[in-house]
Each structure stands twice: as C-alpha cells, then as structure tokens.
Amino acid sequence: MTIPGSIGTGPVVDRHGKPLRALNQFDARAEEPVAVQDDAPPAEVLVTEHGTAAVERPRPGSRASGRVRRIGLSLVVPVLLLVAWHVATEVTGTFASYELPSPGSVVAAGVELATRENGPTFFTHIQISVQRVLIGFVIGSVTGLAVGALVGLSRLADGLLAGTVGAVRAVPSLGWVPLLVLWIGINEDSKVLLVAIGAFFPVYTTVASALRHVDPHLVEAGRAYGLRGTSLLLRVQLPAATPAVVSGLRLALAQSWLFLVAAELIASSMGLGFLLTDSANNGRVDRILLSLVTLAVLGKVTDALIGVVEKRLLRRW
Amino acid sequence: MAITAPITVRSHPAHPVAVRGVGRTFPPRDRGGRAKAVLADVDLDIAAGEIVALIGASGCGKSTLLRQVSGLDAPTAGQILIDGTPVAGIDDRCAVAFQEPRLLPWRTLAQNVAIGLPRGTDRTAGAQRVTELLELVGLGECTGYRPRQVSGGMAQRASLARALARNPGVLVLDEPFGALDALTRLKMQDLLLEVHAAEPTTVLLVTHDVDEALYLADRVVLLGRPDGAPTSAPAGVRSVVTVPGARPRDRADAQLALLRAQLLEGLGVPSHHVAHDADAHHSI
C-alpha cells in the first residue's frame, strides 16, 4: 500500500497527477482536501469495524486450523499418559489394582457413584464443590479488589495495612481450619470463608501493586481534566490496572480450588475434598483417582472460562 | 496542514491571565537537604486571546510555571489570576496539553477527546463537539482508532483536540511539539495557528525552540536566572519580546532572524549571527 504523500514513495502527486500541494507546510491550504497525509497510521495497521488491528489476526482459515493444531498438541501428553496407565495396569500388570487401579475401573467407580441410590452421588459432590468455589471466589475477590484498591491508592492505608495483610497472607490454608471451625462452626459458611480467604490474597496483591504503578503521567492528565477521587479511579486508574486485575482473578480462582480441598478435607460430608478423604479412609484408590482427575478437569475448565473472559475484556488493551 | 471541514464558529471565552509575584520553592528531598527555589517573583500579564511563548534554558522552571497556571501545582508565593479570580487547584477555565500525548490507551481517539468535555455536557452535543474537534485537527477519519494505532503526530493532535474540548479560556501547552519530528512539528505549528484563528483562546506555551516561539507567539517571554547569579538561584522573567508582524509569518523574515539571535544570546547560546545581513535586508 502506498500512502499518498509519504516520503520515499516516488513522485508525490495527487489524484489528478498534479504535485501534492499539501506536502508544503508553508502552504496553508491544499487545493484538494487530503484526508490522510504522511503521518497516517502505519500501512500494516488496518482497523476493522470492532476497532481491533487486523494485522494481529491471520486469515480466518489458518487461524481455525492453528487452534485445532494447538488443541491437538495439548492433548498428546494426556492421551500418552492414559495409554501408559492402561498398559501398566491392564496389559503388563506392573501395578496391582490396590496400588494403581486401571483407567477402566476408575471410570466404573465414577459410573457407580453417579448412579447410586443411597448417599450423595458423584454429581452432588461436584455440585457442592463448584458452589463453594464460586461463592467463595466472588466474596474473596470482591474484598480483595476493595482492600487492594485502598492500599494501592492511599499511602495511609498502605502504611497501616500492607504489613499486616502480608503477614496474614503467610498463614497456610490448613492453619485457618481450627479457628474457622471454632468460631463459625462446621457448616457451609466456614468452608466458603476459607475459599474466600484463598481467593482474597492474589487479587489483593495484584490490584494493590497495579494501582500503585499506574503511569503517573496518565493520572496527572486525568487530574488536569478535572477527574478526581472516584471518577479518577473508575476512568483512569482501574482501567489502566485491568490487565493485572484480570490475571489476579485468574490466580485467585486457581487458589480457590486449592483452599476448597483444604476446607473439605476436614469436617465435611459432601464435596470432592470429602470424597478424597473418605476414599482414602476406605482404601478406595479408584475413587481417590476419580476425585483427583475431576478436580484437575474442573480447575482447568474454570480457568479456561476465565481465560475467555480475559480475552474479551483485554481486547482493547 | 489543511483543514478539511468547515469550522463551526463558537462564542469562545478567552481569559486574561495575571501572574503576580509567583514563586515556587520545593521542599528538600531528604533530611538535611536544601529547599530548592525554582521560581521567584515572576510577574506576567497575558491579554485575553494572546499567544505567549515561554522560553528558557532546560530546568529553569518553564514547566513549573505552567503547572502553577493550570492549577496542577500551587505556588509557594504570590498568586495567579485568571479573568481576575485566583487559581486554586485544577481550574475549569484552563486546559493542558503535555509534551507527550498522554491519551488513555484503552479508549479510542474520540473517547479520549470526550474526556476533555466539561462536566455535564449533553450526550449528543458532546459527541457532535468531539467530531467537530477531531475534524478541526485533521483526524475526522480516525475517530475509532486507538492511540497505539496512530503516529505520534496524530496522537498529539488528538491531545490538542482533547484540550480544546474543555472549551478553555486559557490553553496551556507544555512543549506540545517537542517530541515530534521536525517536519511534523512545522505542520503542527500551522495547525495550532489555524485552531487559534477558529477558536481564539488565550494560549500560553512552553517551547525549547526559539523559531517556534517567534513563529507562533505575540510575545516571547525569556525565563532565566539573573546574569552572574549562582546556578541554585531561582529563575524569573529576564525579558519580554513583542514579536512584530501578523501571522502567518514568514519563517525567513530578517527581523525575526535578528530577534532569534537576541533570544539565543539570552539563552546563553552563541548565535554566530552577522549583523550586517539583517541591515542589508532592512535597506531593501
């Protein structure tokens, strides 16, 4: 693409073949309005209707095939592991079934749990765990956002709180359990609260540091245009910190799953963490593997979902 | 640079600015350090609609003075009056454009310009004003671009449009073209003059470029320390030069060349100007 009037693109003429008058900066007015001159956007950056740069987007066909290829590539290792697992248990018999049950028997355990008449089914375990993670994640990340914003924006709050919160953060997840049980009791609240504690810290840390490091030039420009307090936060500081906030949310969700298992390991009658301990006590290795694989898959799926949200949110950055 | 769209004529408030005995001393950075006096006893009167250029050596307090006028910073002595009332804090009557465009990268150019609109602007009127201003600065085609998709010159023009959106009585420009390449800078100077003709607000601009000051300004103010003063002494107004001739001026004008030599000498830069050249021109 040749930009009219750009330097080094040969004779500079307008669409009538006359020398382009607008190129002369001493010439107040060009004969023909020339909309875009030599300081037009770089040729390779084309803007689509949605305002995203087309250059970052390869042809649709190659993009789709690229995605298929990536998914295929990421499945190679799990499939190989599954095959190796099957071979080691069913074919060669390297491991006894009480050491490492075969993939087939893990699936069978899942089916049995899912269809059983008495007691919580497999789906009940999943449902209650997902519910605890989501509620805890929302509470923890909203609180993390609020406290992080406070510490990131106010020097006073930073001085008062940053040290204490950092120390509390160092407490391991299981350390909270006795106190939560003592103060709140053995119920949903204590488990959700533990998950919330897990979700709080990644959001708090990333938000506080991102807000502290927002480009001071942008903040000053915002102030110069009459933005202050909440309007400055909402229009300049939070949007500038959004990429960091989103990655903090992603970390928080992962940490929520870790804290969930801690919450369910002790004092629960449902959930994947309970299934894990219960099976360990009963020597059901197949169910242990079942709950581990389920936790891995659920964690990955929720992470992928938040990844989609991240992509949509950050399209403008 | 050509304006491609007709400009709607608006009744525009241009405010006079009075700088009265302004001084700014910064507190010491660390314990035992010394307070740094950057400006002292600055007096300056700017008429409504006038273009005044501030020049001075690097670090002499030009930008500091601009920050006092725009209310981004408060003087430690004296006061600044815009239209007769003192400046206290960020002033609605003032709009600033910085050396860097400082556009919000997640907003389109149009959305960035909209930030400049005064609070409580009607939505449709605001959108119309933004379109009008972007056309005024020659960005009518680029309203949906994001700052990283446009060149430095275009971003700087958007920054100028954002300042104008505020409908300012005083337009404060801190080395607005300093970061641009030489050719784009010349074009931007003409653009600024066209904008000033269309919306004749008071303009106070800082520049490093003596030619730019002489091309744009009604008066050029030289800031600096008094002769023989130590380098730690605060700066004040050394001289004020009224630039002859109506705009647009001939950049090669002999009278301007003479003033240029004087100002450069005032800045402590030998101009190597040969006086009889100018005399020869005068005799024609």
Side-chain angles (χ1 to χ4, degrees):
Chain A
M1 178 178 156
T2 306
I3 309 164
S6 59
I7 293 158
T9 51
V12 179
V13 290
D14 65 16
R15 71 180 97 121
H16 306 299
K18 290 186 207 147
L20 197 59
R21 290 186 63 208
L23 199 68
N24 180 353
Q25 72 275 6
F26 302 109
D27 202 343
R29 225 162 263 267
E31 223 163 22
E32 284 286 325
V34 181
V36 188
Q37 292 170 24
D38 65 326
D39 45 0
E44 68 273 18
V45 178
L46 298 169
V47 175
T48 67
E49 275 177 297
H50 306 291
T52 44
V55 65
E56 288 158 18
R57 191 182 291 177
R59 283 175 294 118
S62 71
R63 193 180 177 220
S65 74
R67 180 184 275 179
V68 167
R69 196 159 155 244
R70 221 180 53 228
I71 292 175
L73 209 59
S74 67
L75 285 177
V76 169
V77 174
V79 167
L80 281 180
L81 278 176
L82 207 61
V83 169
W85 181 8
H86 180 75
V87 169
T89 50
E90 293 276 340
V91 183
T92 63
T94 316
F95 298 101
S97 66
Y98 62 85
E99 289 172 327
L100 180 65
S102 67
S105 61
V106 169
V107 171
V111 172
E112 185 222 324
L113 257 185
T115 55
R116 76 172 178 182
E117 305 273 309
N118 55 334
T121 68
F122 186 41
F123 298 115
T124 324
H125 289 304
I126 292 180
Q127 192 199 330
I128 193 77
S129 286
V130 169
Q131 180 187 315
R132 285 165 183 161
V133 162
L134 290 186
I135 298 177
F137 168 69
V138 169
I139 295 174
S141 45
V142 168
T143 324
L145 202 64
V147 180
L150 198 65
V151 168
L153 294 174
S154 148
R155 278 208 195 142
L156 179 68
D158 187 21
L160 280 176
L161 294 175
T164 314
V165 178
V168 173
R169 185 184 168 203
V171 174
S173 54
L174 282 173
W176 291 105
V177 172
L179 276 187
L180 289 179
V181 167
L182 181 66
W183 291 341
I184 300 176
I186 299 175
N187 52 25
E188 278 306 293
D189 292 353
S190 57
K191 296 181 183 67
V192 167
L193 188 59
L194 188 60
V195 174
I197 291 173
F200 172 84
F201 288 105
V203 178
Y204 160 78
T205 317
T206 46
V207 169
S209 93
L211 285 178
R212 225 176 267 147
H213 296 118
V214 171
D215 183 359
H217 275 169
L218 287 186
V219 175
E220 191 184 60
R223 283 210 307 128
Y225 286 96
L227 301 179
R228 65 176 89 87
T230 324
S231 62
L232 188 66
L233 178 69
L234 293 180
R235 299 241 196 128
V236 179
Q237 287 156 312
L238 265 189
T242 298
V245 172
V246 174
S247 64
L249 287 176
R250 214 166 167 173
L251 285 174
L253 190 62
Q255 189 137 314
S256 298
W257 283 103
L258 300 184
F259 274 60
L260 169 87
V261 175
E264 289 179 344
L265 277 176
I266 294 163
S268 64
S269 56
M270 274 191 293
L272 291 166
F274 163 74
L275 185 61
L276 200 61
T277 25
D278 194 45
S279 313
N281 292 336
N282 298 324
R284 290 294 300 264
V285 190
D286 50 351
R287 285 192 186 169
I288 294 179
L289 282 168
L290 177 71
S291 31
L292 287 182
V293 170
T294 312
L295 280 170
V297 169
L298 282 176
K300 181 65 201 157
V301 166
T302 46
D303 186 60
L305 285 178
I306 218 169
V308 171
V309 174
E310 182 177 23
K311 221 176 228 173
R312 301 207 124 212
L313 260 176
L314 298 187
R315 196 178 280 164
R316 292 184 293 163
W317 269 258
Chain B
M1 183 157 310
I3 295 174
T4 56
I7 293 152
T8 324
V9 179
R10 299 168 64 90
S11 63
H12 215 80
H15 292 314
V17 179
V19 180
R20 298 264 180 269
V22 162
R24 178 70 169 101
T25 304
F26 290 97
R29 279 215 185 140
D30 43 275
R31 206 180 294 182
R34 227 185 280 167
K36 180 156 176 54
V38 173
L39 292 172
D41 300 321
V42 177
D43 282 296
L44 190 61
D45 273 291
I46 303 170
E50 194 181 13
I51 302 181
V52 168
L54 285 176
I55 61 170
S58 230
C60 77
K62 305 183 294 286
S63 296
T64 306
L65 184 57
L66 279 200
R67 292 170 60 82
Q68 317 300 322
V69 173
S70 56
L72 281 169
D73 189 25
T76 42
Q79 63 174 353
I80 287 160
L81 306 164
I82 292 182
D83 200 21
T85 47
V87 173
I90 306 288
D91 204 290
D92 286 344
R93 298 165 294 180
C94 227
V96 197
F98 303 92
Q99 182 173 6
E100 322 79 31
R102 300 199 190 181
L103 302 173
L104 303 178
W106 54 89
R107 287 176 171 239
T108 62
L109 295 189
Q111 289 166 339
N112 264 296
V113 173
I115 284 197
L117 293 169
R119 227 47 92 71
T121 307
D122 174 68
R123 187 175 281 250
T124 41
Q128 198 187 341
R129 177 75 176 142
V130 167
T131 314
E132 186 182 299
L133 285 170
L134 280 167
E135 274 171 19
L136 173 62
V137 297
L139 291 174
E141 314 271 304
C142 310
T143 56
Y145 285 64
R146 296 203 192 278
R148 65 181 154 80
Q149 294 172 313
V150 302
S151 68
M154 292 168 87
Q156 199 56 283
R157 280 190 263 158
S159 159
L160 186 60
R162 177 177 62 182
L164 292 169
R166 230 178 167 202
N167 219 12
V170 182
L171 182 59
V172 173
L173 306 171
D174 190 357
E175 290 184 44
F177 315 135
L180 301 176
D181 66 88
L183 195 62
T184 311
R185 185 184 309 176
L186 297 181
K187 290 182 179 183
M188 289 290 287
Q189 291 167 1
D190 279 322
L191 174 71
L192 180 65
L193 292 182
E194 289 181 37
V195 164
H196 185 256
E199 316 215 341
T201 173
T202 309
V203 178
L204 179 60
L205 97 152
V206 156
T207 177
H208 269 126
D209 183 347
V210 174
D211 289 315
E212 182 170 283
L214 289 172
Y215 185 67
L216 294 176
D218 295 304
R219 285 186 300 156
V220 178
V221 175
L222 178 65
L223 280 187
R225 295 176 198 95
D227 278 327
T231 48
S232 60
V237 175
R238 294 278 311 270
S239 63
V240 179
V241 174
T242 304
V243 186
R247 288 180 297 256
R249 299 188 181 117
D250 179 1
R251 286 182 196 266
D253 186 88
Q255 246 182 313
L256 293 188
L258 199 63
L259 276 178
R260 178 173 178 273
Q262 283 172 8
L263 288 170
L264 281 175
E265 297 283 354
L267 287 167
V269 181
S271 67
H272 309 296
H273 184 74
V274 186
H276 62 76
D277 267 3
D279 294 341
H281 276 283
H282 280 304
S283 62
I284 291 172

